[in-house]
Amino acid sequence: MWALKDKYAIVGTGYTDYSKNSGTTVLNLATEACLNAANDAGLAPEEIDGLVSFQLNDSVPATSVAAAMGVPAVRYAVDIAGGGNAANLVILSAIAAIEAGLAKNVLCYRAMNGRSGFRLGGGREMQAHGITQFTAPFGWITYPQAMAMWCRRHMIKYGTTTDQLGTIAVTFRDNAALNPRAMQREPITLDDYRAARPIVDPFRMLDICLESDGACAVLVTSAERAKDLRHKPVYVMGGAYGGGANQGDDLFDCLRWADHSENYAAYIAADLWAGAGVGPEDVDVAEIYDCFTYSVVAQLEGLGFCQPGEGPDFVQGGRIARDGALPLNTHGGLLSEAYIHGLNHVVEAVDQLRGDAGPRQIPDAEIALTTAGAMTCGSALVLRR
Amino acid sequence: MYNKPLPVPDADTEPFWTGCREGRLLVQCCTACEAKRLPPERFCPHCHSVDSSWQAVSGRGTVYSWIVVRHPVPGDVYGGDVPYVVALIDLAEGVRIASNIIDCDPDAVAADMAVQVTFDPVTETVTLPKFRPV
């Protein structure tokens, strides 16, 4: 279990514009976000000695970014093969590297031209190898199609409705309206949600996250080093990565997953809260991985904010709004800010804990939760100011 | 010409696809611990034995979960097929398989609906197991 409570901190964040067409290379996006994060922390690129990223063959290696930044001596460079499940794992990996003495100041980034370049939802592969022999030939190909199967199982088991999911989409858009980074800022109503184009039942267009070009980065260092940098540190209270048996490759390798009405969150909750020394009731603001509306439900249930099956009711009645008991995805999330694969959730949590979130600031936010992942595996962090 | 994704059988999966071509739905069965498994793989996930046999199953099952694809991806490949149903089906013998529900109004598919395998020879070399209501 995690044993490094409050010993490491996020001291800088950086990001590019989030758009449908960046007009530049993924390397340039990554470099811009990383330089911004170093500058935000007040650290020169010469002091960066580690980089960690995650990607699905759609990005640039950590060593390339280090070279583009002019980092003189890279001592730790890791590219994790992963999607949203890895967006908090990169930070845990950075901490592990520093704890081991491999590096001192480590940048974690995600960069992609996810709309104008390689689109994760594309589904162009006509040769079904490996596990996809048993999925793709039946026209079960894209992420929305994958996640809809899990959502339906929750509906079968608990009676969850699409209107209940609509509350999540509407609330997050309301937050995005106050976020200058957000790609979608036009408020929507539940009627707009109901009228959205059906994509794959039970999902409509507004259940599904954006596709984005862009990059963001966070800088991780020791609590000791963090003391005299530009901003007040955001401390990592706890973190966990994992999932249940038969995790497979997360997307479609889920045929032997035990119960598709629950996801990875149910399996990491105990480690996460025990390591952080706090519980769900202590969280002031949570940035939950929302590749789809439904994934929010599964994670709230799995992490113990409510019981299995109670998530769809839990998110009603304003509870997850900015002035509610548990504000969620104050930046608009993957649904309305941008799809930077969940690392943008960490950027927002840091904004909130520093008090830098402007009109969307949650007053006196002290403890934030970030999560990353939607299906068989994922990661989460508990952060504090 | 058939333009949808086709399985590329490998050392572990070739018997499954051969079975489909012969009109038999086969699941892998561990020789050591007798656990059935699908999709096929070399090592038994329960006892790690590499010894296994193939058993023909009834092809009867029930719908565990399902989706109705309404927006085709890629559009030029599935445009003529939407709406279509993909389901996770619990076979009577205790393993789960993904497939299509055919010969059924997509809006009529329901949880626990009883289905039966049928074989669709989509090319000269590939036959896909699909399911219809019974």
Side-chain angles (χ1 to χ4, degrees):
Chain A
M1 198 181 74
W2 172 260
L4 299 171
K5 182 179 178 182
D6 297 338
K7 291 187 175 173
Y8 290 88
I10 297 170
V11 293
T13 65
Y15 44 87
T16 65
D17 283 343
Y18 302 149
S19 71
K20 289 183 175 177
N21 187 350
S22 69
T24 190
T25 65
V26 178
L27 179 61
N28 286 341
L29 293 171
T31 306
E32 180 183 341
C34 286
L35 284 171
N36 287 346
N39 185 53
D40 181 57
L43 275 172
E46 289 72 24
E47 295 183 81
I48 304 298
D49 57 0
L51 293 94
V52 185
S53 184
F54 63 104
Q55 58 160 297
L56 294 165
N57 296 320
D58 60 354
S59 193
V60 286
T63 45
S64 299
V65 177
M69 290 179 67
V71 170
V74 179
R75 300 165 69 216
Y76 188 72
V78 170
D79 302 287
I80 294 172
N85 57 305
N88 290 172
L89 177 63
V90 285
I91 291 159
L92 297 176
S93 174
I95 290 170
I98 302 169
E99 178 74 10
L102 294 174
K104 289 193 167 84
N105 304 305
V106 180
L107 279 165
C108 303
Y109 70 88
R110 176 69 169 118
M112 56 187 168
N113 277 325
R115 180 62 179 81
S116 70
F118 179 80
R119 298 174 68 180
L120 278 177
R124 269 287 156 195
E125 185 54 67
M126 291 297 136
Q127 303 289 310
H129 294 275
I131 192 73
T132 63
Q133 289 173 68
F134 297 90
T135 55
F138 307 104
W140 197 30
I141 295 168
T142 68
Y143 275 99
Q145 292 165 3
M147 198 68 201
M149 192 75 83
W150 294 63
C151 179
R152 176 83 73 182
R153 188 60 201 168
H154 197 276
M155 291 175 160
I156 293 167
K157 193 167 178 181
Y158 299 115
T160 304
T161 67
T162 53
D163 267 9
Q164 289 175 310
L165 300 180
T167 301
I168 295 167
V170 170
T171 304
F172 292 3
R173 182 62 62 84
D174 194 54
N175 295 338
L178 300 177
N179 176 9
R181 289 193 294 262
M183 291 174 66
Q184 294 286 353
R185 292 178 224 166
E186 193 69 31
I188 55 173
T189 66
L190 190 59
D191 280 339
D192 294 329
Y193 170 83
R194 291 171 177 147
R197 185 158 56 109
I199 301 298
V200 48
D201 296 356
F203 289 156
R204 304 181 178 101
M205 195 69 167
L206 290 173
D207 288 298
I208 300 170
C209 70
L210 306 171
E211 295 177 290
S212 309
D213 288 8
C216 65
V218 301
L219 180 51
V220 178
T221 193
S222 67
E224 189 63 30
R225 182 70 183 89
K227 280 179 188 168
D228 58 355
L229 293 177
R230 182 169 290 158
H231 295 283
K232 279 188 69 176
V234 167
Y235 295 99
V236 181
M237 299 181 77
Y241 174 89
N246 303 318
Q247 288 179 36
D249 77 347
D250 192 49
L251 177 50
F252 283 109
D253 194 0
C254 64
L255 297 176
R256 286 185 284 112
W257 186 254
D259 181 350
H260 291 69
S261 73
E262 65 177 20
N263 71 2
Y264 81 94
Y267 295 87
I268 70 166
D271 278 357
L272 178 71
W273 299 124
V278 295
E281 66 280 4
D282 299 308
V283 172
D284 297 310
V285 57
E287 317 296 352
I288 305 288
Y289 194 79
D290 57 331
C291 48
F292 304 95
T293 50
Y294 166 69
S295 69
V296 176
V297 170
Q299 290 169 94
L300 290 174
E301 293 176 0
L303 291 174
F305 287 94
C306 56
Q307 292 299 305
E310 292 178 357
D313 282 335
F314 181 87
V315 300
Q316 309 304 320
R319 181 183 265 129
I320 62 171
R322 290 188 307 281
D323 58 354
L326 184 68
L328 299 187
N329 294 29
T330 43
H331 53 332
L334 307 174
L335 289 168
S336 287
E337 186 194 52
Y339 184 70
I340 314 298
H341 235 148
L343 195 58
N344 50 324
H345 289 37
V346 180
V347 170
E348 173 67 8
V350 170
D351 272 358
Q352 289 287 341
L353 295 176
R354 283 181 182 171
D356 287 346
R360 63 184 193 283
Q361 178 68 43
I362 305 305
D364 299 322
E366 289 183 25
I367 295 180
L369 169 74
T370 61
T371 73
M375 292 183 270
T376 60
C377 51
S379 49
L381 300 172
V382 182
L383 305 172
R384 73 165 177 87
R385 71 185 186 195
Chain B
M1 187 185 147
Y2 190 78
N3 66 344
K4 301 187 179 90
L6 286 169
V8 180
D10 56 40
D12 296 327
T13 67
E14 197 278 334
F16 176 89
W17 294 113
T18 299
C20 288
R21 228 170 28 241
E22 296 168 350
R24 296 187 303 152
L25 187 63
L26 303 180
V27 301
Q28 202 176 10
C29 184
C30 176
T31 306
C33 77
E34 300 187 344
K36 294 184 177 65
R37 62 184 192 261
L38 199 68
E41 53 195 339
R42 176 163 167 77
F43 297 93
C44 172
H46 301 284
C47 73
H48 312 114
S49 169
V50 296
D51 297 322
S52 67
S53 62
W54 290 87
Q55 295 188 356
V57 296
S58 64
R60 286 193 299 275
T62 56
V63 172
Y64 170 79
S65 190
W66 82 99
I67 61 172
V68 183
V69 178
R70 301 199 182 269
H71 172 71
V73 181
D76 55 334
V77 175
Y78 289 99
D81 290 349
V82 290
Y84 66 89
V85 176
V86 184
L88 292 178
I89 295 150
D90 283 340
L91 297 175
E93 290 78 8
V95 297
R96 189 170 290 157
I97 189 171
S99 182
N100 299 118
I101 307 289
I102 60 170
D103 300 338
C104 181
D105 177 355
D107 293 326
V109 177
D112 301 323
M113 189 171 81
V115 292
Q116 171 71 43
V117 75
T118 181
F119 293 95
D120 182 2
V122 296
T123 70
E124 280 185 12
T125 55
V126 174
T127 294
L128 298 178
K130 296 187 177 178
F131 289 78
R132 58 162 56 110
V134 290

